[in-house]
Amino acid sequence: MIHRLQRGQVPPKPHTAFRPEGGDLAYEHCFTREGFNGAYTIFYHRKPPHWIASEEDLGPHPGAGEAFWDGALRRRHFLTGKVPSGGQVFLSRRLLLSNADVGVWVAHADADDETLVSNADADELVFVQSGSGRLESPLGILPFSAQDYVYVPRSLVHRWRVDGAVSLLVLEGRSWIDVPRQFRNASGQIRMDAPYSHRDFRAPDWPDGGPESLDAPRRLVTLRGGRLTAFELFHDPFDVVGWDGQVWPFAFPIRAFQPKTGLVHLPPTIHTTFAGGGFIVCSFVPRLVDYHENAVPCPYPHSSVDCDEIIFYVEGNFTSRKGVGPGSVSLHPTGLPHGPHPGTYEASIGTSRTEELAVMVDTLKPLAPTDQARVVEDEGYNRSWVRD
Ligand SMILES: [Fe+2]
C-alpha cells in the first residue's frame, strides 16, 4: 500500500451515481482491507462485477504438496532449479516451505495464465529470478522483469503473461504484506531515511481503451484454503472505466533498495524491505561493507532464537556459505546457531565490497518443508559444518 493513485474516470464523490460518457450507471466495487478499516481501492465497472454463470470445485492446488516433517533439527538447503518446470504461472508453482503465516513457492513457468486467477489466501510478494512479462488486472498492466519484486494484493483478479520462461519465488503473506510501518512518517509518506522512496515503486499502466481492451478471459480460478474454485463470470471483470485508492499491485526492483553499511557489521534486519504478519523480507544487494579498520564484514555467527531463516540466493559471491548458488534456498531453523562456513569469516577481513544479491525471509513460526522440497534437498548441507 504505497500511496493513493487514480486511473481512468471516477466520479467527484464516492458512492454517487456515475454514468461514464453519459451512458449506463456504473457499478462501484469497494475493495477493502482489514474489514473496512484498512487501505482500499474503489473500482468503477460497466457491469455488476459479482455475477457468475457457474462455479466448480477443482480440488487442491496441484502444487500445494504435503507437509513433510521428519522431526530432525537440521540446517537445510534446497535446489530450486530442480523444481519441475513448464506450465502456467499460477498453476505451475510448487509449495516448498510453509507455516501458518507464510508460504514459500517456486515457479518455473513458460506459459501465460489461461484463466484469470486470484489468491484469496494471501498477499503475494513475487521475486522474479529470471524472465519478464506483465501482470494484467482491472487496474491496468504492470510490466515486470528479472530482479523485480512484484506485489499482488490478496483476492485481486489478475493474470500473469510471460515473455517465454520465467523463474519466480512466490512468498505468500497469509495475513498481510506491506512496507514496514517504521518507514512511514506520521503523514503516511515513506520517510527520507527509508531504504527507498515512493518513486522506486512502479504502478500499473492504464492501457489505451482501458483494461477492458485486454480481452480478459471470463473464467476465474481462485485459491482459498489451498483449494481451487473456478467461476465462469457473467461479465468481464476488466470492464473498469476508472479506479482510485491505495490497494494496487506494484513492482519494486531489488536493486533500487538503498543498503546501509555501518562502521562495524549491522544485523541483517538493516536490510528489511517488506514486512508481513509473522515475517520480514530483507534484500541483500551489492554494497560497500563495514569500514572500521578491524571490521569483520562477514556475518557473525548468530542465534536468532525466535526465527527460522531462509535465504534465496540470486547472484554474486556469497561470502558466508559454500556450495550454494543461484536458485539455492537455505533454511536455518531456530534452535541452532548459524553463520559463515569455515574460512570465510577470516577471509572477509579487509574486503571493501560484496556483490551478493539475495532475498532473506525471517519467520517467527517454524517453517515445514513439503514433500516437493525434500526431493530437491541437498542432503549433504547439514554436514558442511562438521569438522574432523
Ligand atoms: Fe541469519
Side-chain angles (χ1 to χ4, degrees):
M1 323 305 168
I2 305 303
H3 43 246
R4 178 185 173 275
L5 288 177
Q6 180 177 322
R7 297 281 190 269
Q9 311 168 63
V10 302
K13 200 166 181 60
H15 327 314
T16 59
F18 172 43
R19 299 179 187 278
E21 298 109 29
D24 295 339
L25 185 68
Y27 287 79
E28 194 177 62
H29 177 194
C30 296
F31 193 83
T32 70
R33 304 302 304 260
E34 299 176 55
F36 290 88
N37 296 321
Y40 61 91
T41 282
I42 303 178
F43 307 78
Y44 291 89
H45 290 271
R46 292 194 188 278
K47 301 287 184 183
H50 55 301
W51 294 4
I52 59 171
S54 65
E55 61 182 321
E56 180 185 0
D57 177 16
L58 301 180
H61 187 291
E66 298 283 340
F68 182 93
W69 191 248
D70 58 11
L73 177 62
R74 56 198 306 229
R75 306 169 176 99
R76 297 176 183 272
H77 174 208
F78 305 101
L79 299 160
T80 68
K82 294 186 174 180
V83 170
S85 61
Q88 302 170 49
V89 174
F90 191 76
L91 293 178
S92 67
R93 58 181 63 175
R94 298 284 203 287
L95 182 65
L96 298 187
L97 299 159
S98 72
N99 63 28
D101 297 325
V102 60
V104 181
W105 306 63
V106 165
H108 301 302
D110 59 5
D112 296 344
D113 290 333
E114 292 175 4
T115 67
L116 296 175
V117 299
S118 68
N119 186 343
D121 280 338
D123 285 338
E124 293 181 359
L125 185 68
V126 178
F127 181 77
V128 183
Q129 181 188 6
S130 62
S132 63
R134 60 192 202 166
L135 183 90
E136 296 182 351
S137 77
L139 299 163
I141 299 171
L142 181 67
F144 66 84
S145 56
Q147 301 185 4
D148 280 342
Y149 288 104
V150 180
Y151 167 79
V152 187
R154 177 197 296 263
S155 284
L156 180 71
V157 172
H158 63 281
R159 70 170 159 169
W160 293 89
R161 307 197 71 175
V162 295
D163 308 323
V166 296
S167 290
L168 309 171
L169 176 75
V170 181
L171 303 174
E172 277 191 310
R174 292 173 174 164
S175 48
W176 56 273
I177 297 175
D178 204 347
V179 170
R181 293 200 170 90
Q182 66 268 28
F183 294 166
R184 302 270 189 186
N185 62 29
S187 297
Q189 268 184 308
I190 292 174
R191 293 171 55 97
M192 293 180 72
D193 56 2
Y196 37 62
S197 80
H198 286 268
R199 300 177 196 175
D200 292 316
F201 295 86
R202 302 200 311 272
D205 299 322
W206 189 248
D208 289 342
E212 60 189 336
S213 67
L214 299 177
D215 194 24
R218 292 286 177 87
R219 186 172 172 84
L220 166 66
V221 173
T222 296
L223 178 67
R224 177 62 180 163
R227 293 181 72 85
L228 299 175
T229 307
F231 301 92
E232 296 297 331
L233 304 176
F234 201 74
H235 296 298
D236 175 7
F238 283 23
D239 67 349
V240 169
V241 297
W243 60 271
D244 77 331
Q246 200 146 316
V247 182
W248 36 270
F250 63 75
F252 173 80
I254 191 172
R255 288 176 185 272
F257 184 83
Q258 301 155 201
K260 292 178 181 170
T261 297
L263 178 68
V264 294
H265 196 75
L266 296 167
T269 42
I270 198 70
H271 306 291
T272 302
T273 312
F274 298 103
F279 69 101
I280 57 170
V281 180
C282 301
S283 302
F284 296 99
V285 300
R287 62 192 181 277
L288 297 174
V289 296
D290 322 297
Y291 45 87
H292 186 282
E293 60 182 338
N294 288 322
V296 182
C298 189
Y300 27 74
H302 53 281
S303 296
S304 182
V305 300
D306 296 310
C307 294
D308 274 13
E309 173 198 289
I310 63 166
I311 298 183
F312 179 71
Y313 298 86
V314 183
E315 66 178 37
N317 60 325
F318 304 111
T319 53
S320 60
R321 311 270 163 82
K322 293 176 181 171
V324 302
S328 287
V329 167
S330 60
L331 167 61
H332 288 253
T334 186
L336 289 172
H338 63 267
H341 270 109
T344 52
Y345 189 66
E346 191 167 0
S348 75
I349 296 171
T351 57
S352 58
R353 279 190 67 83
T354 175
E355 301 302 326
E356 67 182 359
L357 188 67
V359 175
M360 185 182 86
V361 183
D362 270 2
T363 69
L364 291 175
K365 296 189 177 89
L367 286 164
T370 64
D371 51 350
Q372 300 169 134
R374 294 302 307 276
V375 294
V376 299
E377 183 168 2
D378 164 16
E379 293 285 349
Y381 185 69
N382 191 42
R383 296 189 54 78
S384 62
W385 280 268
V386 174
R387 313 308 293 162
D388 295 328

